[in-house]
Amino acid sequence: MEFEAAILTEQNKPLIVDYIKCLNDELGIGQVLVELYVSGICGSQLGEIDGVKGSDKFIPHLMGHEGCGRVKELGPGVTTVKVGDKVVLHWKKGNGINSEVPKYEWKGKLVNAGWVTTFNKYAVVSENRMTSIPEEIPSDEAALFGCAVTTGFGVVENNAQLKIGESIVVLGAGGIGLNIIQAANLVSAYPIIAVDLYSDRLELAKKVGATHLINTMETDFSDKILSIVGNDLDVFVDNTGLPEIIEKGYKLINDLGRLILVGVPRKGQNINIFSLPLHFGKKIIGSFGGECKPEIDIPRYLKLYQREKLSLNQIITERYKLKDINLAISRIREGKAIGRVMIDFE
């Protein structure tokens, strides 16, 4: 079987969209064949393309870690899903077997892949990177539970452990940032301060729960935050990975405040802080997908969605076919995409 996929063949270059095929005739232990319906584009993929973490020894390889599709075939030992199930694909490990990674072929070349990829019409996915969901959940909104929702809500629940009435700043109001804001609103944090370069993103942040908006093109966000909360900021979440932002966030939080790092600085870029306050209660916490547990958290968050406590449709602001994925990526880079950008395979 041949199918279309977007392939990273060189860092800092556009993805190549072409037909590939799986090298294995049969699924291995714990592997599942999934037909993709939709995939989200996360900032992590832009980081992969840009080589944020350094050189990539797996090139050429497939990409994507947030999607929704349907199970077409099962490998030996798979028990947590069945053929015909509608599933969310996620990069965090859940229940089931952690399988071998698949290998694909493109123009006679080996193409690598991880345990889950979503920039491809079909994917061989490890059993523990998928969770079955109710049939009635719309596919595009379901895909967000693969990363944007689970990471955003996990940041609030698990990393920041945000409490009723605590203050929070969310710097970067993209797909994950918007869900951090939604989660903060659900736990009755106040104020919820959204900070971004683009006013249209900030307006969307307001719709999902932000109480205050700061456009960094118009004002210094540090001074503005101080004018809102004084020296009593409880949580600062950075989605940018920029050292200068992280350092400012560290200074802004109070003596028992939490600085949550969602964005990852480029390899070789270090932060410079005065560490003494860390001995007396101030914290810096690196988020690993919000420390979510997909098999527990996805069903739990889906209940909120089904009870109309989550606003996901308005977070999805642009949809593209796979052949236009480089256009979609450029829209994100240029700040023209307001919310989450999706790739539609249907």
Side-chain angles (χ1 to χ4, degrees):
M1 181 176 65
E2 290 191 334
F3 51 90
E4 276 193 308
I7 311 164
L8 178 63
T9 61
E10 189 177 350
Q11 288 178 319
N12 298 300
K13 296 289 185 181
L15 302 181
I16 301 294
V17 179
D18 206 348
Y19 284 87
I20 65 170
K21 63 181 180 180
C22 189
L23 286 176
N24 298 334
D25 293 330
E26 296 182 351
L27 295 174
I29 295 171
Q31 291 183 335
V32 181
L33 178 64
V34 177
E35 179 183 5
L36 268 293
Y37 291 158
V38 66
S39 170
I41 302 178
C42 184
S44 295
Q45 281 88 60
L46 274 65
E48 283 184 74
I49 295 169
D50 296 345
V52 166
K53 297 180 181 178
S55 61
D56 191 336
K57 63 181 180 180
F58 297 106
I59 286 177
H61 64 75
L62 303 187
M63 302 182 70
H65 67 211
E66 172 188 87
C68 178
R70 191 171 303 281
V71 174
K72 307 300 287 186
E73 188 178 337
L74 304 178
V78 175
T79 60
T80 63
V81 296
K82 62 183 184 298
V83 172
D85 279 3
K86 191 172 188 178
V87 291
V88 169
L89 302 183
H90 42 78
W91 63 275
K92 288 297 295 290
K93 290 182 181 180
N95 280 342
I97 297 169
N98 192 63
S99 73
E100 295 291 327
V101 295
K103 301 290 184 183
Y104 300 92
E105 183 182 56
W106 168 63
K107 293 185 175 180
K109 300 177 182 177
L110 176 68
V111 177
N112 294 302
W115 292 278
V116 59
T117 60
T118 60
F119 291 178
N120 25 272
K121 174 61 178 172
Y122 289 88
V124 175
V125 182
S126 179
E127 180 187 14
N128 64 355
R129 262 64 173 201
M130 66 186 70
T131 299
S132 293
I133 62 170
E135 187 67 33
E136 64 270 18
I137 306 295
S139 299
D140 53 355
E141 295 175 34
L144 298 182
F145 289 86
C147 178
V149 172
T150 46
T151 298
F153 277 57
V155 164
V156 168
E157 277 199 297
N158 303 321
N159 300 136
Q161 297 181 11
L162 191 65
K163 295 178 176 60
I164 294 170
E166 287 194 313
S167 54
I168 182 172
V169 167
V170 181
L171 205 144
I176 290 175
L178 290 168
N179 281 292
I180 294 170
I181 290 165
Q182 285 208 84
N185 185 48
L186 282 170
V187 301
S188 299
Y190 188 88
I192 303 169
I193 305 170
V195 184
D196 204 282
L197 286 165
Y198 306 103
S199 55
D200 47 4
R201 285 188 183 176
L202 291 170
E203 287 304 313
L204 182 52
K206 183 177 181 180
K207 290 179 181 178
V208 298
T211 62
H212 296 73
L213 310 176
I214 300 176
N215 188 319
T216 56
M217 297 291 286
E218 299 173 357
T219 186
D220 180 86
F221 74 82
S222 294
D223 292 342
K224 189 68 174 178
I225 290 168
L226 288 170
S227 73
I228 298 169
V229 297
N231 294 312
D232 196 25
L233 176 63
D234 296 301
V235 175
F236 186 104
V237 181
D238 173 65
N239 293 306
T240 70
L242 297 174
E244 61 269 25
I245 301 295
I246 295 170
E247 291 166 7
K248 286 185 177 181
Y250 180 74
K251 291 178 180 178
L252 284 167
I253 56 175
N254 61 36
D255 291 343
L256 298 177
R258 289 88 77 196
L259 170 62
I260 314 299
L261 307 184
V262 178
V264 179
R266 181 178 288 273
K267 186 177 181 180
Q269 292 184 343
N270 299 318
I271 60 173
N272 184 20
I273 62 166
F274 177 54
S275 64
L276 182 63
L278 296 175
H279 298 270
F280 298 97
K282 185 176 283 198
K283 295 179 180 178
I284 300 176
I285 301 167
S287 180
F288 183 59
E291 322 315 308
C292 84
K293 296 180 179 179
E295 72 278 10
I296 296 172
D297 294 335
I298 289 176
R300 188 160 59 91
Y301 297 151
L302 278 171
K303 289 178 184 177
L304 285 175
Y305 171 81
Q306 291 171 313
R307 293 164 185 164
E308 299 183 349
K309 298 294 185 181
L310 298 187
S311 177
L312 297 181
N313 185 56
Q314 62 182 334
I315 284 178
I316 300 171
T317 56
E318 298 188 20
R319 296 171 172 84
Y320 294 87
K321 297 298 184 182
L322 183 63
K323 64 183 178 66
D324 298 318
I325 192 168
N326 289 307
L327 171 61
I329 289 170
S330 69
R331 293 274 300 173
I332 298 170
R333 289 191 187 281
E334 295 165 9
K336 295 178 180 177
I338 302 172
R340 201 59 150 187
V341 177
M342 312 299 289
I343 300 299
D344 187 2
F345 294 96
E346 293 188 284

